[in-house]
Amino acid sequence: MRLRPVPWQRAMYSPTVTSQNPAPPSSSSARPVLIDTDPGVDDAMAILMALASPELDVVGLTTIFGNAATDVTTRNAFSLLETAGRTDIPVAVGRSNPIATDYLGPVPQVHGTDGLGNASLHAPQEQPVEADAATFIHDTVAASPGEVTVLTLGPVTNLADSITRFPDVVDLVDRVVVMGGNALVPGNATPTAEANINNDPEAADLVFGADWDITMVGLDVTQQVTLSGAAIERIMAHPSPTGTLLAKAIPLYRSFFEATNGIDGIYLHDPSTIAYLLDPAAFTTNPWPLRVETEGFSRGKTWPNLGDTDDASPPAWRDRPLVNVCTGVDAIQVAGLVEERLTR
Ligand code: BDR
Ligand code: CA
């Protein structure tokens, strides 16, 4: 695992993009973050939270299939930027299928047929940049070597694509934070696999095998962080474009959790990664090498090696880099931070 000090300067990327909103002045200490995403109701919450956080400078969105097909998640990415008044932020379109298989398909029972809880938003007018997501990821980190955090909220296909086509991306990135996986707890897409990793296990095994500073924010922590029904009501009632959008997007997602988990609230999967960037002290991590199962009924399972990491390590884990695996979280603190940022 590569650990380096974190310089928080603004990343510079100059894509060809139609811009309707001027970029707001960015704090010189804001951390540049590129978000790869499949919006997605909880992706929407995470992105709006990031855009409301002066500590972060969102330098681009790249889109991927997962909660919905890539054309749908791309449209949603633009809707979120419009909502936040940040259409100056470039969007690059990602892959439509996993690197080795076909897309498993959308999950309308969780995120709606439109990926945003059937919010019925108007069609955004903005256009993506010409570069595809893998190229955009590479070019963005290459423009500011060692400065940009790449945060993934969906299947990690675009990042795997970038590693394969532009191997120097591994040295150019500052750090990678992945929402996905399950180290010590069951899956949510299958009994053994978490949804993002299950959507492209081959890509995930590549990404967790690259020698960069990488953190896994998986179900071990995100299923501990519940946003209560009362907090949801406060966010949806907030008199802002964010409150208005989430009031349309959250109800279907909320009823899914009520029906399947029996809770009055929602798990904060993707927003927990933003909380990790803002307040890492709220999380406990373990440095473990990880493999991702690509065969059989546990396909998509993230397997840490909890034992020897030297030459006594089983061959499958030998010479694998360490991954910061989140296993503990101050759930009250994180849920409070999410609510605070979404009601600013
Ligand atoms: C992950 O899967 C998706 O449904 C969510 O957006 C989140 O990224 C949780 O397993
Ligand atoms: Ca997601």
Side-chain angles (χ1 to χ4, degrees), residues 7 10 23 28 45 65 73-74 109 118 120 128 138 148 184 195 199 205 214 233 265 282 286 293 301-302 316 332 340:
R10 177 175 170 76
S28 62
M45 297 173 72
F65 61 86
T73 61
T74 302
Q109 70 280 18
N118 297 331
S120 300
H138 172 265
V148 180
L184 307 176
N199 258 306
D205 199 45
I214 182 165
E233 296 294 341
N286 294 273
E293 178 61 69
K301 163 71 182 146
T302 46
I332 304 288
E340 187 263 316

Side-chain angles (χ1 to χ4, degrees), residues 124-141:
Q125 299 305 310
E126 293 79 17
Q127 295 299 315
V129 297
E130 271 178 35
D132 66 10
T135 305
F136 182 85
I137 291 169
H138 172 265
D139 291 356
T140 301
V141 299

Side-chain angles (χ1 to χ4, degrees), residues 38 42-43 67 153-154 196 270:
D38 62 333
D42 61 327
D43 301 71
N67 294 322
L153 304 178
N196 288 339
D270 293 344

Side-chain angles (χ1 to χ4, degrees), residues 154-214:
V156 293
T157 313
N158 291 331
L159 202 46
D161 193 18
S162 202
I163 295 173
T164 306
R165 290 164 55 198
F166 312 103
D168 60 333
V169 74
V170 173
D171 292 321
L172 292 167
V173 80
D174 176 49
R175 65 193 311 215
V176 174
V177 177
V178 171
M179 192 284 126
N182 51 308
L184 307 176
V185 299
N188 62 354
T190 75
T192 59
E194 183 278 330
N196 288 339
I197 306 301
N198 190 51
N199 258 306
D200 197 344
E202 285 81 4
D205 199 45
L206 247 176
V207 165
F208 287 127
D211 188 16
W212 48 16
D213 181 342
I214 182 165

Side-chain angles (χ1 to χ4, degrees), residues 315-327:
W317 285 268
R318 203 168 295 159
D319 300 327
R320 292 279 288 193
L322 299 176
V323 175
N324 296 306
V325 180
C326 291
T327 53

Side-chain angles (χ1 to χ4, degrees), residues 31 33 35 43-58 61 84 86 89 151 153 270-271 273-275 277-278 338 341-342 344:
R31 174 194 306 203
V33 181
I35 302 179
D43 301 71
M45 297 173 72
I47 291 165
L48 293 169
M49 184 183 171
L51 294 173
S53 297
E55 302 91 334
L56 305 178
D57 177 15
V58 179
L61 300 182
R86 290 301 311 273
I89 295 174
L151 174 67
L153 304 178
D270 293 344
T273 60
I274 308 299
L277 295 182
L278 297 174
V338 172
R341 293 303 161 107
L342 291 177
R344 275 194 164 185

